[in-house]
Amino acid sequence: MPIKVTRRLYYIFCCIIGESFVMFSILITVLIFFFAFAMQLAIVRILRNLHIHTFFSFSIYIVGLIVFILFGFPGDFSYTSILIYILLTLLLMTSSPVPLLGLNSPSSIIVTILEKEKKVTTTQLYRAFDERQLILARLNDLVDVGLVRRRAAGTYIILQKGLLISQFIAVCRVLMGLKNN
Amino acid sequence: MTADGIILAISFFGFVMFVIFFSLLIRRLPTYPIHAIFSSFILAFFIAMIFAWITAPILSIMLVSFFLYTLLAAFYILGIYLNIDSSLHVRILQEVAGAGHRGLTYAGLLKKYNKETILQKRIAWLVNSGEIEKTGNTFRHRRNFSTLLLREKLIVFLTRLYGK
């Protein structure tokens, strides 16, 4: 076989092996993530029975990450694989029913109402929302997590931790070009 | 540069482009978040793919870079943008922080941020993204599948999986 053809075949072989290896690495990462997710589902149910906050169940993903790093698999694509694993975990956390992230957003309530009623007037739509549920309940959430304090006189005052978060968000808003509306 | 490094470089380049385009578009179209998200995602994707084609025209590297870029963009929108821009908790926290050491009563908060302001913004979003239709004084649902409510649907799905 001429040398040129052999070289070309060798190159194609390397490309196929290389491409398969990249795909295989990512596939393994996704599989490990889903395995950790299945474990977390089981842990959530156990924690709930023990009356422990279910947020701690997310620690299973840290265990998964440590195992992932210790085994060093999948070799050459370790940074990409680890980043994909971390991002999948973070995305799951942002979409999880965690109290502060809120389950019933006003937008989803509006769509749910319109799906049921077909046609709704502006007044009916506004009447469907309770201001206490919308604002006071969330204000109390902030008190519960220690970002805001309620004084005896009924005034709410920001705490140091809340102020830092608020200032950080204000900077982010400016950088992102968002307006208060 | 290793293949790992190339994938990371392409993905982060695309992500930075996405953030820049999105920040520019959302300033011009504050009540059209869905349009801003999709336009900036597609624009940044094409620029990242041109960059990928120049640096490493290998299909698997491009596919993995696209996957990583999508995850980064999704995290930026779901984890950062939505929480900063539309979270009621965040907005209330900012109003209380704005009141300083004097504090703010519930009635005082309602003067600045109330049902009216919350619903006006959401209705504008939903109408502009084509989720709902406004005819005169009435609203009607338009779509069966809502991209704007993808996160809410995911939360409902996960709540079912986790159990109540």
Side-chain angles (χ1 to χ4, degrees):
Chain A
M1 202 180 282
I3 294 170
K4 271 189 179 177
V5 177
T6 320
R7 272 187 188 163
R8 182 62 56 88
L9 281 173
Y10 176 71
Y11 176 74
I12 292 168
F13 175 75
C14 286
C15 282
I16 293 167
I17 294 293
E19 297 214 353
S20 316
F21 193 69
V22 178
M23 292 300 181
F24 184 66
S25 307
I26 305 308
L27 183 72
I28 291 292
T29 310
V30 175
L31 284 176
I32 290 173
F33 170 77
F34 278 109
F35 181 70
F37 178 58
M39 294 281 285
Q40 194 214 359
L41 285 179
I43 290 167
V44 163
R45 285 163 195 261
I46 295 166
L47 288 180
R48 206 163 272 156
N49 287 335
L50 297 170
H51 303 289
I52 300 170
H53 204 297
T54 53
F55 187 79
F56 295 110
S57 64
F58 279 104
S59 52
I60 191 71
Y61 295 99
I62 298 168
V63 176
L65 186 66
I66 292 166
V67 171
F68 200 47
I69 294 166
L70 282 179
F71 280 88
F73 196 79
D76 287 348
F77 300 94
S78 52
Y79 291 116
T80 304
S81 307
I82 288 168
L83 190 62
I84 286 174
Y85 180 85
I86 292 170
L87 282 168
L88 284 171
T89 308
L90 287 173
L91 276 170
L92 181 77
M93 281 176 85
T94 58
S95 307
S96 290
V98 179
L100 264 186
L101 294 176
L103 179 59
N104 295 319
S105 77
S107 305
S108 69
I109 296 171
I110 293 171
V111 174
T112 312
I113 291 168
L114 290 171
E115 273 174 351
K116 279 183 189 167
E117 304 291 328
K118 303 292 174 205
K119 263 188 180 181
V120 171
T121 64
T122 314
T123 323
Q124 284 172 321
L125 199 63
Y126 275 67
R127 267 195 209 138
F129 286 89
D130 178 13
E131 214 151 44
R132 295 178 75 86
Q133 277 275 310
L134 220 51
I135 295 170
L136 192 61
R138 282 164 168 99
L139 191 57
N140 290 333
D141 278 347
L142 296 174
V143 174
D144 290 343
V145 293
L147 299 179
V148 170
R149 188 162 59 97
R150 190 176 190 271
R151 281 181 184 155
T155 51
Y156 292 88
I157 187 163
I158 193 90
L159 293 175
Q160 192 59 35
K161 201 164 71 174
L163 187 66
L164 281 172
I165 294 173
S166 170
Q167 284 169 341
F168 174 73
I169 289 164
V171 172
C172 289
R173 287 189 74 88
V174 172
L175 291 175
M176 291 164 84
L178 302 171
K179 289 172 191 166
N180 272 343
N181 47 9
Chain B
M1 199 188 272
T2 60
D4 201 19
I6 292 168
I7 292 170
L8 291 176
I10 295 166
S11 319
F12 276 98
F13 175 73
F15 174 63
V16 170
M17 285 290 121
F18 170 76
V19 172
I20 293 169
F21 287 137
F22 181 70
S23 300
L24 292 173
L25 284 172
I26 204 73
R27 275 168 221 250
R28 292 197 172 270
L29 312 161
T31 54
Y32 290 82
I34 293 289
H35 293 73
I37 291 167
F38 282 113
S39 309
S40 39
F41 183 82
I42 292 164
L43 266 171
F45 165 72
F46 276 112
I47 292 175
M49 283 306 114
I50 292 167
F51 178 63
W53 190 256
I54 296 164
T55 49
I58 301 163
L59 184 68
S60 61
I61 286 182
M62 286 167 92
L63 282 175
V64 175
S65 303
F66 173 67
F67 181 55
L68 192 55
Y69 159 70
T70 309
L71 286 180
L72 284 165
F75 177 68
Y76 181 76
I77 294 300
L78 294 173
I80 301 171
Y81 165 71
L82 279 181
N83 283 320
I84 287 176
D85 188 46
S86 64
S87 164
L88 300 183
H89 284 107
V90 166
R91 180 62 195 270
I92 293 166
L93 184 74
Q94 282 192 301
E95 292 295 342
V96 178
H101 294 293
R102 286 176 291 112
L104 194 66
T105 60
Y106 175 58
L109 175 67
L110 287 184
K111 279 182 190 166
K112 293 179 175 181
Y113 194 54
N114 50 44
K115 192 162 88 170
E116 197 92 358
T117 48
I118 295 168
L119 292 182
Q120 267 175 5
K121 182 178 177 175
R122 268 72 189 181
I123 288 169
W125 270 24
L126 292 167
V127 171
N128 292 337
S129 61
E131 301 290 334
I132 64 172
E133 192 181 284
K134 192 181 181 191
T135 324
N137 198 30
T138 55
F139 294 98
R140 202 164 55 87
H141 190 231
R142 276 185 68 189
R143 282 184 193 162
N144 289 325
F145 180 77
S146 160
T147 33
L148 198 73
L149 302 178
L150 213 60
R151 185 175 165 226
E152 271 79 11
K153 286 190 173 162
L154 198 61
I155 290 175
V156 171
F157 173 69
L158 285 171
T159 310
R160 275 184 202 154
L161 279 181
Y162 285 125
K164 285 186 180 174

